[in-house]
Amino acid sequence: MSSPSNGPALPARTYPKRPAAVYFYATCLVDLFVPEAGMDAITLLEREGIRVIFPEGQSCCGQPAFSSGFPDEARKVAASQLDLFPEDYPIVVPSGSCAGMIRWHWEKIFADDPTLHARAAAVAARTFELAEFLLHVVGFQRRDEGEPIAVTLHTSCSARREMGTHLVGRELLARLGNVTLAHHDHESECCGFGGSFSLKHPDISTAMVSDKVAALKATGAREVVTADCGCLLNITKRAEKEDLDAGRAQPSLPGEHLATFLLRRTGGQVAERS
Amino acid sequence: MSAQPNIRGGDTRPIAFVSAQALRERMHEAVNDPHLRTSFRGAMDFLMAKRAAQFPDESELASLRTQSEGIRQYSLSKLPELLEQLEANLTRNGVQVHWAADPDEANAIMLGIARRHSAKTIVKGKSMVSEEIEFNHAMEAAGVEALESDMGEYIVQLAGEKPSHIIMPAIHKTKEQIARLFADKVPGVDYTDNVDALIQIGRQVLREKFEHADIGLSGVNFAVAETGTLCLVENEGNGRMCTTVPRVHMAITGIEKVVEKLEHVAPLFSILTRSATGQAVTTYFNMISGPRKPDEKDGPEEVHLILLDNGRSQAYADEQLRKTLQCIRCGACMNHCPVYTRIGGHAYGTTYPGPIGKIVSPHMMGLAQTHLLPTVSTLCGACGEVCPVKIPIPELLVRLRGEAQSAPHANPAMVGQGAGYSALASFVWRTWARIYARPANYRLFSWLASRFRMFAPSRQSGWTAARTPLKPAPRRLRDRVRDRR
Amino acid sequence: MSSRDRILARLRTSRPAQPLPLPELDAHYAPRARNESTPERVARFRTGIENFHAEVHLAGEGDWPAVLARLCAEKGVGSLMYGADTVAGRKLDPAAFAGTVLRPWAGSIEDIKADLFHRTDAGFTQTLGAIAETGTLILWPSEAEPRTLSLVPPIHFALLDARNIHATFYDAIRAGHWADGLPTNALLITGPSKTADIQQTLAYGAHGPKELIVIVINAEGAVQ
């Protein structure tokens, strides 16, 4: 059993003071597939007294095209998003991979255009993954009102290696008095999603997600929590398929977004599931 | 033991790396082989734990990686000058330097040396570059025996296979399989799966070879320009045997392996052994600065160095792709790769498997053969995280995906640019960009997707092979946000 | 145009106009060049090389030949090959070795190959020094002490002067001005030869020595 990795040493980030308002950049996956996670993240932030602005023009950070090897298409889409954040508010993203795209890769895809590059850099500097924002900017600290429960945490590779926020998720969960975090085997290993990888190389993707689901289940935890909807869908839809194939009525590995879990545990009203 | 084992077991077909185009079938086979899955997972876990134990101090690791990356980048920034300096100093030391543009030229040079010495047997230390040029095959075709002497390489050669890992070539084999192999192929050997006994069998067979071989061949880990020195890293002593006992030593290496100063090898050597097998140091670090001098009593009378390009200068020509050449061949990227762990080294079909193989093979073999390789990654970043010289492997994979899939154009950065071009895929992404780059289009598209969610297909390409289908939510987040206000 | 010229021309057209800055190796190594006493350094060296399966014995500057003779007897070394024309070699007295035949290296390897490979139980060499950080011996073979002495016989005895142990490999290179002139072959040796190529199982005695025995002199104060 491999121990949880402490991950890479990323440059330490300086965090702003708690702002009056934030932009919420939901990501295309949350908008269309897991809107309740987005709602719960918004509620969490508003409950802390922060005004949440949802830019209507938001679509996608461009990552799907970028990582598939279509940088021109990624650039077009990313360029369309640069105007969405006129005020100097932080931009909060409920996904490590989309936050990582904005924070590190936007500057690269606009490297040849000084104007767009400067704007992308300015946006990147105030883009935060939700969990790190909750911990380091908000200083999230609420009483855990739930029953004692053991959960397990999956951290996306982008959160771990691009945003360095894998310890942040652990720390947020540690602040919930009745929650025990069960570490799983090969915790730092990828769940096998990889965007188009899961479609292009289903054999390997299946092997990876099956191993991940098995490791998560082996902890005996009641559910898996993650701050990335790509991983969440990959893991829970795999677990659902296993349940279906085995004829199980009860989900063997329910999962939810970290925002939903935090809100529910601390007495908040979670959004209606779709 | 005096008998000569028939290393091919009667099979005279040339052993060659298979085309990377057959990748899908091999990956499918590999990933569904439970034995292979278990053995690679176990081996990779072992190597990951060993490496981690070598770096208890994160700040020391961070500093050492920075130094190592800096040395490699500095060296590459002066590569043509350093190669000339290396050549001049080696020549002064009495080493003969040869340059080869491609595998054929390298093999021809070495065959020429072998012929000049009427060599019958070449005994080989571990050299991935010799695998890259299919050296054994070329020698065999010319009637010269090329015998691997690294235990792992000896085992895979005996089995008629290729290395599945650049550091541990026989990592895909169990001791029982090796025991059976030895009993079948090495005359006079009974079945034993005692590892010490198996190693002693290999030792006996190969000592005979070291004693009588005409030529020794080796790779090079670092070539030092200022002193004209070839450095070799190894544990077994076979590298020293090959470079010391036969009358002729041929070393072959890629042009990128040169560093300027001798002191530069200190941090690189340290981070290499710790990253590769999790050892603080290897048993031997062998620094060769010339052939035997007139009053010396041993060592080769002739030393040759073959500097191989084989696509490296193509990588060098592009500032981003040049980072590929920082590699010191430790194999940590494959040890930490979740894909390599699932499919093992043979499935890639290339000399260098795993993450480093995906970024270096396209330069050696062209994208026409290798354009699928960069797609076999989730971009999880584990490789880049452990790379001792900080090669941004995921970034390079993304770049190569672009080179492969973009429409063929003039002055490409790589041979085979556009080999993975698909009009359909390009159309899909162009359409995607048209939708996502215009808010009105996206709003309409996502509204339609959400509204007609019941039409979401139940079979969704590779996704539903292992998962329940994805279905858009009945109301998008933006709808729910608007309703709340 | 030769391949050489084509390769170099291609590299020249694409290399950066200015070389990148040289990394500051001293800054990395300075904290590692510990100010330690000889016994402390010997202790670190010893721990390191013992981890790699070598044996270490401390001896006095005067009595190390006797220690070597005793160790040869204990290990049943029938024949020991060495370089007679070295500082250490001149101190070996065949009469002091009971049961071990001392064989000075004579001629070139081609003359004595069969003896070396099949009829020599042990080789004896001096060392240039050692590296404390990893427990590594430094050997600079010479015409008086050929390279194969430390490679071919199943046992390698090495004599180390504790005053020549450096903190790191980097320090050894710098302090000894290695870049000014290396022998045709220089070696770092850490333990007997080994392999883990069969199922990651460590086995000693791969192709080189099966045993490495280090006799350390001038280690006054080091724990026996």
Side-chain angles (χ1 to χ4, degrees), chain A residues 232-262:
Chain A
L232 180 67
L233 289 170
N234 185 42
I235 291 168
T236 54
K237 297 284 175 187
R238 170 61 196 167
E240 269 177 36
K241 179 81 162 45
E242 288 179 8
D243 293 339
L244 206 63
D245 292 348
R248 276 190 293 266
Q250 289 299 310
S252 55
L253 185 68
E256 59 190 349
H257 194 280
L258 179 68
T260 302
F261 184 74
L262 290 175

Short mmCIF file of all heavy atoms in Angstrom, two decimals, chain A residues 232-262:
data_model
loop_
_atom_site.label_atom_id
_atom_site.label_comp_id
_atom_site.label_asym_id
_atom_site.label_seq_id
_atom_site.Cartn_x
_atom_site.Cartn_y
_atom_site.Cartn_z
N LEU A 232 -15.08 12.98 -10.63
CA LEU A 232 -16.30 12.55 -9.94
C LEU A 232 -17.17 11.71 -10.87
O LEU A 232 -17.64 10.63 -10.49
CB LEU A 232 -17.07 13.78 -9.44
CG LEU A 232 -18.37 13.50 -8.69
CD1 LEU A 232 -18.08 12.81 -7.36
CD2 LEU A 232 -19.15 14.79 -8.45
N LEU A 233 -17.38 12.22 -12.09
CA LEU A 233 -18.22 11.48 -13.04
C LEU A 233 -17.55 10.17 -13.43
O LEU A 233 -18.20 9.12 -13.51
CB LEU A 233 -18.48 12.34 -14.28
CG LEU A 233 -19.41 13.54 -14.05
CD1 LEU A 233 -19.40 14.47 -15.26
CD2 LEU A 233 -20.83 13.08 -13.75
N ASN A 234 -16.26 10.20 -13.67
CA ASN A 234 -15.54 9.00 -14.05
C ASN A 234 -15.67 7.92 -12.99
O ASN A 234 -16.00 6.77 -13.28
CB ASN A 234 -14.05 9.36 -14.28
CG ASN A 234 -13.24 8.20 -14.81
OD1 ASN A 234 -13.69 7.46 -15.67
ND2 ASN A 234 -12.04 8.04 -14.28
N ILE A 235 -15.43 8.30 -11.74
CA ILE A 235 -15.43 7.33 -10.65
C ILE A 235 -16.84 6.85 -10.33
O ILE A 235 -17.10 5.64 -10.24
CB ILE A 235 -14.77 7.95 -9.39
CG1 ILE A 235 -13.27 8.15 -9.64
CG2 ILE A 235 -15.03 7.10 -8.16
CD1 ILE A 235 -12.57 9.01 -8.60
N THR A 236 -17.78 7.78 -10.20
CA THR A 236 -19.12 7.35 -9.78
C THR A 236 -19.85 6.61 -10.90
O THR A 236 -20.59 5.66 -10.63
CB THR A 236 -19.97 8.55 -9.31
OG1 THR A 236 -19.98 9.54 -10.34
CG2 THR A 236 -19.40 9.15 -8.04
N LYS A 237 -19.62 7.01 -12.15
CA LYS A 237 -20.29 6.30 -13.25
C LYS A 237 -19.70 4.88 -13.41
O LYS A 237 -20.40 3.96 -13.83
CB LYS A 237 -20.17 7.07 -14.56
CG LYS A 237 -20.85 8.44 -14.53
CD LYS A 237 -22.35 8.32 -14.66
CE LYS A 237 -23.03 9.69 -14.51
NZ LYS A 237 -24.49 9.58 -14.48
N ARG A 238 -18.44 4.75 -13.09
CA ARG A 238 -17.84 3.40 -13.11
C ARG A 238 -18.44 2.56 -11.98
O ARG A 238 -18.82 1.40 -12.18
CB ARG A 238 -16.32 3.49 -12.95
CG ARG A 238 -15.63 2.15 -12.70
CD ARG A 238 -15.85 1.20 -13.87
NE ARG A 238 -15.52 -0.18 -13.52
CZ ARG A 238 -15.85 -1.23 -14.26
NH1 ARG A 238 -16.51 -1.05 -15.39
NH2 ARG A 238 -15.52 -2.43 -13.89
N ALA A 239 -18.53 3.15 -10.80
CA ALA A 239 -19.09 2.42 -9.66
C ALA A 239 -20.54 2.04 -9.95
O ALA A 239 -20.97 0.93 -9.64
CB ALA A 239 -18.97 3.25 -8.38
N GLU A 240 -21.28 2.96 -10.58
CA GLU A 240 -22.68 2.67 -10.94
C GLU A 240 -22.76 1.48 -11.89
O GLU A 240 -23.63 0.63 -11.75
CB GLU A 240 -23.30 3.89 -11.65
CG GLU A 240 -23.99 4.86 -10.73
CD GLU A 240 -24.52 6.08 -11.51
OE1 GLU A 240 -24.97 5.93 -12.67
OE2 GLU A 240 -24.44 7.18 -10.95
N LYS A 241 -21.85 1.45 -12.84
CA LYS A 241 -21.84 0.34 -13.80
C LYS A 241 -21.56 -0.98 -13.09
O LYS A 241 -22.19 -2.00 -13.37
CB LYS A 241 -20.78 0.61 -14.87
CG LYS A 241 -20.63 -0.46 -15.94
CD LYS A 241 -21.71 -0.31 -16.99
CE LYS A 241 -21.46 -1.00 -18.32
NZ LYS A 241 -20.97 -2.35 -18.26
N GLU A 242 -20.64 -0.94 -12.15
CA GLU A 242 -20.33 -2.16 -11.39
C GLU A 242 -21.56 -2.60 -10.60
O GLU A 242 -21.86 -3.80 -10.53
CB GLU A 242 -19.15 -1.92 -10.44
CG GLU A 242 -17.81 -1.81 -11.17
CD GLU A 242 -16.64 -1.55 -10.24
OE1 GLU A 242 -16.81 -1.60 -9.00
OE2 GLU A 242 -15.53 -1.30 -10.74
N ASP A 243 -22.27 -1.64 -10.03
CA ASP A 243 -23.49 -1.96 -9.27
C ASP A 243 -24.54 -2.58 -10.19
O ASP A 243 -25.18 -3.57 -9.86
CB ASP A 243 -24.06 -0.70 -8.61
CG ASP A 243 -23.14 -0.16 -7.52
OD1 ASP A 243 -22.30 -0.95 -7.03
OD2 ASP A 243 -23.27 1.02 -7.19
N LEU A 244 -24.68 -1.94 -11.37
CA LEU A 244 -25.64 -2.41 -12.35
C LEU A 244 -25.33 -3.84 -12.76
O LEU A 244 -26.19 -4.72 -12.77
CB LEU A 244 -25.56 -1.48 -13.57
CG LEU A 244 -26.76 -1.32 -14.46
CD1 LEU A 244 -27.92 -0.70 -13.67
CD2 LEU A 244 -26.39 -0.41 -15.66
N ASP A 245 -24.05 -4.09 -13.08
CA ASP A 245 -23.65 -5.42 -13.51
C ASP A 245 -23.84 -6.46 -12.42
O ASP A 245 -24.12 -7.62 -12.68
CB ASP A 245 -22.18 -5.42 -13.96
CG ASP A 245 -21.98 -4.60 -15.23
OD1 ASP A 245 -23.00 -4.26 -15.87
OD2 ASP A 245 -20.83 -4.27 -15.58
N ALA A 246 -23.69 -6.01 -11.16
CA ALA A 246 -23.81 -6.95 -10.04
C ALA A 246 -25.23 -7.01 -9.52
O ALA A 246 -25.52 -7.75 -8.57
CB ALA A 246 -22.85 -6.55 -8.92
N GLY A 247 -26.12 -6.22 -10.11
CA GLY A 247 -27.51 -6.21 -9.67
C GLY A 247 -27.72 -5.60 -8.30
O GLY A 247 -28.65 -5.96 -7.58
N ARG A 248 -26.85 -4.69 -7.90
CA ARG A 248 -26.99 -4.04 -6.60
C ARG A 248 -27.93 -2.85 -6.71
O ARG A 248 -27.80 -2.05 -7.64
CB ARG A 248 -25.64 -3.53 -6.09
CG ARG A 248 -24.80 -4.58 -5.37
CD ARG A 248 -23.61 -3.93 -4.69
NE ARG A 248 -22.65 -3.40 -5.64
CZ ARG A 248 -21.57 -4.08 -6.09
NH1 ARG A 248 -21.34 -5.31 -5.65
NH2 ARG A 248 -20.75 -3.54 -6.95
N ALA A 249 -28.84 -2.73 -5.78
CA ALA A 249 -29.78 -1.61 -5.82
C ALA A 249 -29.16 -0.37 -5.18
O ALA A 249 -29.35 0.75 -5.66
CB ALA A 249 -31.07 -1.99 -5.11
N GLN A 250 -28.43 -0.59 -4.10
CA GLN A 250 -27.82 0.55 -3.40
C GLN A 250 -26.46 0.87 -4.02
O GLN A 250 -25.69 -0.05 -4.32
CB GLN A 250 -27.61 0.19 -1.92
CG GLN A 250 -28.90 0.11 -1.12
CD GLN A 250 -29.64 1.43 -1.10
OE1 GLN A 250 -29.06 2.48 -0.81
NE2 GLN A 250 -30.93 1.39 -1.44
N PRO A 251 -26.18 2.14 -4.21
CA PRO A 251 -24.86 2.47 -4.76
C PRO A 251 -23.75 2.05 -3.80
O PRO A 251 -23.82 2.31 -2.60
CB PRO A 251 -24.90 3.99 -4.93
CG PRO A 251 -26.02 4.47 -4.08
CD PRO A 251 -27.00 3.33 -3.96
N SER A 252 -22.76 1.36 -4.33
CA SER A 252 -21.67 0.89 -3.47
C SER A 252 -20.65 1.98 -3.21
O SER A 252 -19.89 1.92 -2.26
CB SER A 252 -20.99 -0.32 -4.10
OG SER A 252 -20.56 0.00 -5.40
N LEU A 253 -20.61 2.96 -4.09
CA LEU A 253 -19.66 4.05 -3.87
C LEU A 253 -20.27 5.38 -4.32
O LEU A 253 -19.99 5.87 -5.40
CB LEU A 253 -18.35 3.79 -4.64
CG LEU A 253 -17.24 4.82 -4.37
CD1 LEU A 253 -16.71 4.71 -2.95
CD2 LEU A 253 -16.11 4.68 -5.39
N PRO A 254 -21.14 5.94 -3.47
CA PRO A 254 -21.67 7.25 -3.83
C PRO A 254 -20.56 8.30 -3.76
O PRO A 254 -19.59 8.13 -3.02
CB PRO A 254 -22.74 7.53 -2.77
CG PRO A 254 -22.55 6.53 -1.70
CD PRO A 254 -21.56 5.50 -2.14
N GLY A 255 -20.71 9.34 -4.55
CA GLY A 255 -19.70 10.38 -4.53
C GLY A 255 -20.33 11.74 -4.67
O GLY A 255 -21.44 11.87 -5.20
N GLU A 256 -19.68 12.72 -4.14
CA GLU A 256 -20.17 14.08 -4.37
C GLU A 256 -19.01 15.07 -4.36
O GLU A 256 -17.89 14.75 -3.93
CB GLU A 256 -21.24 14.47 -3.34
CG GLU A 256 -20.80 14.40 -1.90
CD GLU A 256 -22.00 14.56 -0.94
OE1 GLU A 256 -23.09 14.92 -1.39
OE2 GLU A 256 -21.80 14.32 0.27
N HIS A 257 -19.33 16.25 -4.87
CA HIS A 257 -18.33 17.30 -4.92
C HIS A 257 -18.04 17.77 -3.50
O HIS A 257 -18.93 17.81 -2.65
CB HIS A 257 -18.83 18.46 -5.78
CG HIS A 257 -17.74 19.42 -6.16
ND1 HIS A 257 -17.29 20.40 -5.30
CD2 HIS A 257 -17.02 19.55 -7.30
CE1 HIS A 257 -16.32 21.09 -5.91
NE2 HIS A 257 -16.13 20.59 -7.12
N LEU A 258 -16.83 18.14 -3.26
CA LEU A 258 -16.40 18.63 -1.95
C LEU A 258 -17.30 19.77 -1.46
O LEU A 258 -17.63 19.85 -0.27
CB LEU A 258 -14.94 19.09 -2.03
CG LEU A 258 -14.33 19.66 -0.75
CD1 LEU A 258 -14.15 18.58 0.31
CD2 LEU A 258 -12.96 20.30 -1.06
N ALA A 259 -17.73 20.64 -2.39
CA ALA A 259 -18.58 21.78 -2.01
C ALA A 259 -19.88 21.29 -1.41
O ALA A 259 -20.34 21.79 -0.38
CB ALA A 259 -18.84 22.66 -3.22
N THR A 260 -20.48 20.32 -2.05
CA THR A 260 -21.74 19.76 -1.58
C THR A 260 -21.55 19.13 -0.20
O THR A 260 -22.35 19.35 0.73
CB THR A 260 -22.25 18.70 -2.57
OG1 THR A 260 -22.40 19.32 -3.84
CG2 THR A 260 -23.55 18.09 -2.12
N PHE A 261 -20.48 18.36 -0.07
CA PHE A 261 -20.22 17.68 1.19
C PHE A 261 -20.03 18.68 2.32
O PHE A 261 -20.63 18.56 3.40
CB PHE A 261 -18.99 16.78 1.05
CG PHE A 261 -18.69 15.96 2.26
CD1 PHE A 261 -19.49 14.86 2.57
CD2 PHE A 261 -17.64 16.29 3.11
CE1 PHE A 261 -19.23 14.10 3.71
CE2 PHE A 261 -17.38 15.53 4.25
CZ PHE A 261 -18.17 14.43 4.54
N LEU A 262 -19.21 19.70 2.07
CA LEU A 262 -18.94 20.70 3.11
C LEU A 262 -20.24 21.42 3.51
O LEU A 262 -20.50 21.66 4.69
CB LEU A 262 -17.92 21.74 2.62
CG LEU A 262 -16.48 21.28 2.44
CD1 LEU A 262 -15.63 22.39 1.83
CD2 LEU A 262 -15.87 20.83 3.77
#
